[in-house]
Amino acid sequence: MKDLSETSRSFYQSSQPPSTTQCEAAPCSHFCLPVGQPGDAEGYRCECPDTTSLNPDGHSCSTEANGQKSKSVTRRTCDPAGFSCLKGARRCVGFKTVCDNRSNCDDNSDEHLLCNATYLMSVESGLIKRVNVMDNFSTFIVSGESIGNARGIGVDTRRKQLYLTTKFSIVRADLTDSLEIESTTAVLEDTSVHVGDLSVDWLHQLLFWIDTLYNKVSATTMDGSASKVVYTGGNLNAIAVDPFQGVFFLADNTWKSRIYKCGMNGEGRTVLVDDMANIGSLTIDFKTNKVYWTDLTINALMAMHSSGFSGLDVYRDPQQGDMTGLAWSQNWIYVSDFGKNTVRRFVRKRWEDVRPKADGPTDIAVLDVTSQPLVQNADKKMKRMRFRNRSFNINGARQLVNSLTYTYSKEILLVLGKHYITKVDLNTLEHGEFDRASCEITPYGSPSTPVSIDFDIRSKALYWTDPGLKGIYMSRFKDNMDIEPVEALFRTDVDKPEGLAVDWVDQNVYWSDTGHHVIIAASLKTRAKTTLLDSGLGTVRGIAVHPQEGLLYWTNWGEYMASRVERCDLDGSHRISIITSGLQTPNGLAIDYKERRLFVGDAKRNLIMSCSMVGRDCYTLQTSAHREDLVSLAVYHNYVYWADLRREEVMRMYKQSGGDKLMALGSAVDPHSVKPFHPDMQPEGKPACGPDNGGCLICLPTVRNGSRHSFRGM
């Protein structure tokens, strides 16, 4: 489901299959989440909403008010009979509803009215259309209390509830036995968020939904009484929950679209699929344990076993245009197509019309008892044993799984200090924690003053400048992410090296030397170097390269010169100034490769400026109202990070709004440089110089007519 105007899902008791759950009798006051290895949930853990903390008893939550702890009211849990009583419910709701013609509830509600029926619920132009799958797809508008301009939909079949999303809200609609809307209840109303895709965990009674404004995943109780952010980061687009494995699958369209598999608390993230074009929506087939998704760029439906150990299935449909919604029921995958105004379904390479003349469908859900099962597929373990890990292709597209991404899927921020490199885990940071492990890179008591750090992720190499030791130094990461012994890379005729940037495509390194007032280019292959620029340079601390476009950017300021940002080709030609106003001491410089924007940090003005790659369309973000000393900055996904030398802190905030300021690392001794270490920071490119370095000691790419296709040797 996307930010369009409609959607579809399927109502039948198989699209939410039955199961026992580790949380069924857990005495948790708010959240009960299955734990264990993702995909093999063996126990449970109680969690608390964002504004509360877990008490020592491990089950209840407390809030802090005026220094006093206030114990929260414990919500009712499932009774031993296994029946869940919803708040304000007027009927018994059988948690273990089974279609066995036996009345376990006084009102017979355990014998679901959908035991022998399947309905597709399609969101079209803000209205809900009910499609009887077993009666020639007869269609009716769902009547009842108004639900406004709905865009997305999720269902809880056994409780006969729809969960409808608008831009700023999630609304629960309780259905009558005739499947009309009886009443509506606001689960979430918040104009500070943008509600995106939603997935219903019918076992643990939670809603997992995406905030597309801040790219966060939250778990919210079905009555809206508690909510907890479980994942942050990326460019999140779609989500699907598997309550049996205790995981959710998450589509992230940052740079290279991929699908992550995470534990329900957001931990244990692994990559299921990589190198997609533009993932649109997700669903899970609980019968075959396959994850299905749509790719909006190539108009295809794709599938892979949820374990990741299988080939990729690709199903193209020439009649599909913009596949915005997915749902599974029995053997069918249902697809809503906003571009072609159709709802179709798929099985065994066969496509069939459900609603050939839909009215702007944006999402779908299936009311089907078997699509939300209460027991896990018994054949799951047997089927998993038959899979073998192998490579696969999408009709000649790039290889889907990048082994490097698997190795370095953990998102790390490198912080360079006076004697150390600190690794900050950005995933745990999102939950207010960080995992720090320092590595000594220079002897204490030495004149070492490291200033700037960069890396080449493919060779696992780190590079940094050290004006105190007058050289460029390097090390490498071991497989366990420890650092190997330090090596001096360049020391001859090096005075005060400061800014540094690595061209990871053509294996060159660029650095500024404020002692000689030059910018140097050197080959990492031959270790030969040359002076690239030697005029009009003051203090150059921020340097960044864009290998795909063959461009070098740097900040330039001094006592007798106007502060500015400049750029040139990677061979030193075509030098121009692109930002000439609004700056005093620009120390930090970073490129957002996905958004194609520059970020410049100014120490004296306490601001970060963002501009287009040609220095236009600029806006500023205030870092602090207090005096800072910004010496380095970096951009990663939705955040900009910077090092404050005066306060000895590393901070972050949203790159667009400047909100959500947070200390990423406190008590950082002399933090001089920050750099996110992840494959997304170094997108692939075609080397201009080739494997033999163009036959040159130094091979520098050149740009002709706006394209980077040749090189200049030295």
Side-chain angles (χ1 to χ4, degrees), residues 385-625:
M385 294 175 62
R386 294 199 292 267
F387 287 109
R388 295 293 182 267
N389 194 2
R390 60 182 185 274
S391 61
F392 31 79
N393 296 298
I394 310 177
N395 298 337
R398 295 172 297 169
Q399 185 178 355
L400 291 178
V401 181
N402 186 319
S403 60
L404 188 64
T405 303
Y406 277 98
T407 305
Y408 297 108
S409 61
K410 195 171 186 179
E411 296 168 312
I412 290 174
L413 182 70
L414 300 176
V415 181
L416 180 67
K418 185 171 183 179
H419 298 285
Y420 63 89
I421 297 174
T422 294
K423 299 176 291 184
V424 179
D425 187 329
L426 294 182
N427 286 322
T428 56
L429 170 66
E430 302 294 353
H431 299 284
E433 303 172 353
F434 62 88
D435 178 20
R436 189 172 81 174
S438 296
C439 299
E440 183 179 332
I441 57 173
T442 55
Y444 282 85
S446 73
S448 169
T449 54
V451 169
S452 183
I453 191 171
D454 205 348
F455 62 88
D456 178 1
I457 197 149
R458 288 157 184 81
S459 63
K460 299 183 291 186
L462 297 176
Y463 304 92
W464 62 91
T465 59
D466 193 325
L469 296 179
K470 297 182 181 295
I472 312 300
Y473 292 83
M474 71 165 293
S475 182
R476 295 185 188 275
F477 276 131
K478 301 177 182 178
D479 290 340
N480 63 359
M481 295 299 286
D482 286 338
I483 289 180
E484 293 182 352
V486 176
E487 174 186 353
L489 193 62
F490 299 100
R491 295 191 64 183
T492 303
D493 199 27
V494 177
D495 188 12
K496 294 181 180 179
E498 294 210 19
L500 177 139
V502 172
D503 176 355
W504 62 90
V505 175
D506 279 294
Q507 293 294 291
N508 294 317
V509 61
Y510 298 81
W511 73 85
S512 63
D513 192 318
T514 57
H516 296 313
H517 296 288
V518 295
I519 292 179
I520 303 295
S523 171
L524 294 173
K525 297 178 181 177
T526 66
R527 299 199 179 184
K529 61 185 178 71
T530 186
T531 299
L532 194 73
L533 300 170
D534 59 2
S535 63
L537 297 175
T539 299
V540 178
R541 286 183 178 165
I543 291 185
V545 296
H546 198 313
Q548 288 78 6
E549 296 187 358
L551 297 173
L552 176 71
Y553 296 82
W554 68 94
T555 62
N556 195 2
W557 60 274
E559 185 176 357
Y560 302 107
M561 61 187 300
S563 301
R564 57 187 180 267
V565 176
E566 300 183 69
R567 84 172 190 197
C568 68
D569 292 354
L570 288 177
D571 66 346
S573 61
H574 304 103
R575 176 180 176 179
I576 60 172
S577 296
I578 59 172
I579 303 176
T580 57
S581 62
L583 299 173
Q584 292 186 35
T585 54
N587 285 335
L589 182 65
I591 297 176
D592 185 335
Y593 296 100
K594 182 176 184 294
E595 302 293 338
R596 292 182 50 78
R597 294 191 67 85
L598 291 172
F599 284 78
V600 187
D602 193 299
K604 284 190 176 180
R605 296 198 63 194
N606 284 359
L607 61 79
I608 293 173
M609 180 182 294
S610 175
C611 302
S612 70
M613 299 299 287
V614 295
R616 299 173 184 171
D617 184 28
C618 299
Y619 63 86
T620 59
L621 305 171
Q622 200 72 29
T623 58
S624 174

Side-chain angles (χ1 to χ4, degrees), residues 65 98 100-101 110 148 209 229 255 309 319 331 337 355 426-427 437-438 458 495 510 523 543 556 560 620 638 642 673:
V98 289
D100 59 1
N101 294 317
D110 60 299
W209 58 278
V229 175
W255 195 255
F309 298 129
Q319 297 187 39
N331 295 321
D337 190 322
R355 281 184 51 73
L426 294 182
N427 286 322
S438 296
R458 288 157 184 81
D495 188 12
Y510 298 81
S523 171
I543 291 185
N556 195 2
Y560 302 107
T620 59
N638 295 314
W642 71 94
S673 185

Side-chain angles (χ1 to χ4, degrees), residues 149-161:
N149 187 26
R151 302 194 297 177
I153 187 170
V155 301
D156 185 335
T157 302
R158 285 172 175 76
R159 297 175 178 88
K160 290 188 293 185
Q161 293 172 336

Side-chain angles (χ1 to χ4, degrees), residues 195-211:
V195 180
D197 200 14
L198 172 144
S199 185
V200 176
D201 177 355
W202 64 94
L203 294 185
H204 307 100
Q205 301 180 47
L206 295 172
L207 305 176
F208 287 80
W209 58 278
I210 295 173
D211 176 358

Side-chain angles (χ1 to χ4, degrees), residues 166-171 186-195 209 211 213-214 218 227:
T166 68
K167 186 174 182 178
F168 303 120
S169 67
I170 300 174
V171 177
V187 176
L188 171 77
E189 286 183 310
D190 189 350
T191 57
S192 68
V193 303
H194 288 178
V195 180
W209 58 278
D211 176 358
L213 180 61
Y214 295 113
S218 292
S227 188

